[in-house]
Amino acid sequence: MPASKEVPQRRNISSSAYTDLLHNAWDRGAAGAARKDQVQSLAMVPAGVRLGGGRGWIGNLVRGALLPKGGGPRGAGPETLYLSQRPSPATVAILDFCPCHPAATAMGLELYLDLLSQPCRAVYIFAKKNGIPFKLCTTEILKGQLQTKEFFQINILRKIPVLKDGDFILTESSAILIYLSSKYQTADHWYPSDLQARARVHEYLGWHADCIRGTFGVPLWTQVIGPLTGAHVPEEKVERNKTAMDRALQQLEDKFLEDKAFLIGQQMSLADLMAFEELMQPVAVGYDLFEGRPKLAAWRDRVEAFLGSDLFQETHGPILNILEQVVNKKFPKPSPEVYPIILLRISRIP
């Protein structure tokens, strides 16, 4: 890189409309000899984008060549990195090895999530699948992290998921998914521009809040979380919940799926993502919801295939291994400060 030239049209990467995470970079050979488990993210941006520096290691990958820090134009500080003026035809890949590096946090988007939570998984998957750059702020419910003073400043309702985009804070998973879809202009099938198709998404989300959310999470509370706190759930409540799940599954199939590939049409939508994550919760604790329901089972297979095995395993690992962890006494007991909240939740099971 010629040391005497300045980089034209500097722009902060966080405000660039071209920012997009790349997945499967290893198939492209972009990361060279770097270890796969070190990679936080990849971004493709035009030449002339300026990356803020700070602590941590960052390198530029220009046509496969790794450039160390300090390789920028004359006058650039040792903690400032610039893209080459002569990248491969359209883009340069930037590799960030540190998830907390200012170059990552400068993007502004933070997601407060716990992957044991169905709505949190939906938000996480959507952001990952669509290459939306974000800082993951893991907030563990059972460790009492929702009850801290710090989190209260983020959401006085003490619930997750939460999106923080600069000074803008948004709660509720449906609202977050719609916000991300609109801001990052994701593929139309997620949240269709067609008025009637979009109305169908909202129709499902309304029904979901009434009939799915709060019903399919109950088995986790009765089989795992309740026993860890010594709470006993009457068998009649367990049976009523099974009946409610069976009724909701039948309605999901008859009203929304019908003979389509997905709930809204022939492509995946926000409705499918929200439904899928709720149904995975009882599956994780041994309920075979799809037995005797071939249409729903085929729908599940299509959703999993769309997500891809890597993203599926990354997201569902914590929940799918939960029974094994409990049996082997590796699943941590809830913090004492969350006991009253757990007992209240269990008492509200119909």
Side-chain angles (χ1 to χ4, degrees), residues 164-176:
K164 188 173 185 291
D165 193 1
D167 295 330
F168 178 70
I169 295 176
L170 186 65
T171 65
E172 300 299 328
S173 53
S174 296
I176 291 171

Side-chain angles (χ1 to χ4, degrees), residues 200-263:
R200 290 297 184 198
V201 172
H202 284 276
E203 179 186 33
Y204 173 77
L205 294 177
W207 178 81
H208 177 98
D210 288 338
C211 301
I212 297 289
R213 186 78 185 121
T215 299
F216 286 76
V218 168
L220 180 67
W221 290 90
T222 60
Q223 293 195 39
V224 176
I225 299 175
L228 286 174
T229 61
H232 172 69
V233 181
E235 186 61 29
E236 56 266 25
K237 285 194 172 188
V238 174
E239 291 303 317
R240 277 199 297 270
N241 179 250
K242 289 181 180 179
T243 301
M245 286 194 295
D246 285 340
R247 182 170 57 250
L249 286 172
Q250 193 62 50
Q251 292 173 350
L252 179 66
E253 188 171 341
D254 293 345
K255 163 65 178 172
F256 295 99
L257 183 58
E258 299 178 302
D259 294 320
K260 303 187 295 294
F262 295 95
L263 297 182

Side-chain angles (χ1 to χ4, degrees), residues 31-103:
R35 291 207 324 270
K36 184 174 182 179
D37 60 359
Q38 288 178 306
V39 171
Q40 165 66 13
S41 62
L42 285 168
M44 286 187 70
V45 295
V49 174
R50 180 180 183 276
L51 268 182
R55 296 179 182 177
W57 191 99
I58 291 185
N60 286 351
L61 294 174
V62 182
R63 288 180 291 197
L66 189 62
L67 303 180
K69 288 194 292 186
R74 184 175 63 184
E79 299 295 339
T80 302
L81 297 175
Y82 295 88
L83 303 189
S84 168
Q85 284 184 278
R86 298 180 180 276
S88 54
T91 59
V92 174
I94 300 172
L95 183 60
D96 183 355
F97 284 81
C98 179
C100 296
H101 193 283

